[in-house]
Amino acid sequence: MDNYTNDNTARRYKAHVSILGTTQLHLRNPYIIAWWSAAFPGFGHMLLSKYLRGYALFIWEVFVNVNPHVNSAMIYSFQGKIDMAKEVLDTRWLLMYIPVYLFGIWDSFRTTVDMNKVYVLAEREAHRFNSFSLGALEINYLDKRNPTVAVMWSIFIPGLGQLYIHRILTAIFVIVWLVIFFYYSHIQEAVVLLFLGKINEATSVLKPDWLLFIPSHYGFAIYDSYMNTVENNKLFEKDLRDYLSVNYQSKNFQILKGQKVK
């Protein structure tokens, strides 16, 4: 219990604090992770801090969704225009889209189940981990943050909530892709036209293939920032309790169970 760095002396660590963010294991609901993968491939893996796999699936989703016009076909089908939905779809791309989409859901569910098992083992091993990281570019440390504040900043601009809790990799990724979605969907141009009362022009300028990515992007940023703020707070409290117990609590201290104080 005297080791405060991840020096590979333990089989499993519950968390790691680096200048790029705080990565930790904690119990997750596999169905929720799978749902986020269904909402947008890659999101489930990013919630698990499986960034390389998550980024690959995310970029694949954007690339293979835009080319066969999946989002446009969805809009036409919602409007009951089934013939137009069939006409706009490009099956050359669509047949590649479905297998990877299903893989993202299945793999995120499977990985969550496995990581929950690893968390239980790491919790039992109870090895100490670093809680402070100081580098030439950044400083990161465990502390308590307000989940409501993280949600508020994510509502303003997705990615800011992640910056607030120092999830640098996710923040940069989310912000960069938000700019791409805004630019190609013309949503900001449509908002300006809407304020000017030009409703028909605002509707016609929108690009549905890119527009439908934005709600999922906002939802993920809000959920990710809130969930990780809560879990980081739990990790901070647990780490502080362990530190105080080891360094300040008397070795003779005992909690007597089953006895009433008179």
Side-chain angles (χ1 to χ4, degrees):
M1 296 293 290
D2 295 330
N3 190 356
Y4 287 83
T5 59
N6 294 21
D7 58 0
N8 292 325
T9 59
R11 292 192 65 190
R12 300 170 184 87
Y13 291 94
K14 192 168 62 175
H16 176 69
V17 176
S18 70
I19 61 173
L20 294 178
T22 300
T23 305
Q24 64 166 304
L25 293 171
H26 59 84
L27 294 177
R28 298 175 171 91
N29 189 326
Y31 292 99
I32 292 179
I33 300 299
W35 185 90
W36 277 110
S37 292
F40 206 117
F43 280 165
H45 291 85
M46 290 167 65
L47 289 170
L48 296 172
S49 297
K50 307 280 284 187
Y51 296 115
L52 295 180
R53 202 178 306 179
Y55 295 164
L57 288 170
F58 183 99
I59 294 171
W60 172 270
E61 162 69 15
V62 174
F63 183 76
V64 183
N65 185 303
V66 169
N67 282 284
H69 307 289
V70 173
N71 285 341
S72 294
M74 289 175 59
I75 291 178
Y76 286 135
S77 63
F78 291 156
Q79 295 174 342
K81 303 175 182 178
I82 306 300
D83 292 335
M84 295 184 66
K86 293 179 180 179
E87 182 179 349
V88 77
L89 278 175
D90 188 341
T91 55
R92 293 176 302 173
W93 290 96
L94 185 63
L95 294 179
M96 291 191 297
Y97 174 83
I98 297 174
V100 179
Y101 179 82
L102 295 176
F103 169 81
I105 299 172
W106 171 81
D107 188 65
S108 63
F109 183 93
R110 176 198 62 82
T111 304
T112 306
V113 173
D114 288 345
M115 290 181 65
N116 285 345
K117 296 176 182 178
V118 173
Y119 166 78
V120 173
L121 295 173
E123 181 72 16
R124 291 178 180 177
E125 191 168 344
H127 198 85
R128 296 291 298 179
F129 57 89
N130 61 315
S131 59
F132 184 91
S133 180
L134 176 63
L137 297 176
E138 264 291 356
I139 302 173
N140 187 24
Y141 49 88
L142 282 180
D143 66 341
K144 295 196 71 172
R145 306 284 171 89
N146 190 331
T148 304
V149 174
V151 170
M152 179 191 70
W153 284 115
S154 295
I155 292 174
F156 286 152
I157 293 293
L160 295 184
Q162 281 72 20
L163 284 179
Y164 169 66
I165 60 174
H166 205 97
R167 285 174 59 82
I168 303 299
L169 292 176
T170 303
I172 294 174
F173 190 84
V174 169
I175 291 174
V176 168
W177 278 99
L178 178 72
V179 173
I180 293 173
F181 293 154
F182 272 9
Y183 180 81
Y184 284 104
S185 68
H186 297 273
I187 188 172
Q188 292 180 313
E189 182 181 351
V191 170
V192 173
L193 291 171
L194 186 63
F195 285 154
L196 295 175
K198 302 177 181 179
I199 299 177
N200 292 332
E201 293 183 32
T203 304
S204 62
V205 80
L206 288 172
K207 304 298 181 183
D209 283 333
W210 294 92
L211 180 65
L212 289 191
F213 290 135
I214 296 177
S216 298
H217 207 65
Y218 262 90
F220 167 77
I222 294 170
Y223 177 81
D224 178 79
S225 63
Y226 178 85
M227 183 268 297
N228 279 288
T229 305
V230 172
E231 294 299 333
N232 284 354
N233 288 346
K234 293 178 183 179
L235 184 67
F236 169 77
E237 293 172 354
K238 179 66 165 57
D239 180 70
L240 183 59
R241 285 197 303 269
D242 292 343
Y243 177 81
L244 294 175
S245 298
V246 171
N247 293 278
Y248 293 98
Q249 183 173 287
S250 172
K251 295 182 179 179
N252 298 322
F253 177 79
Q254 293 183 350
I255 297 177
L256 300 179
K257 298 182 178 179
Q259 294 187 13
K260 296 182 179 180
V261 179
K262 297 182 181 180

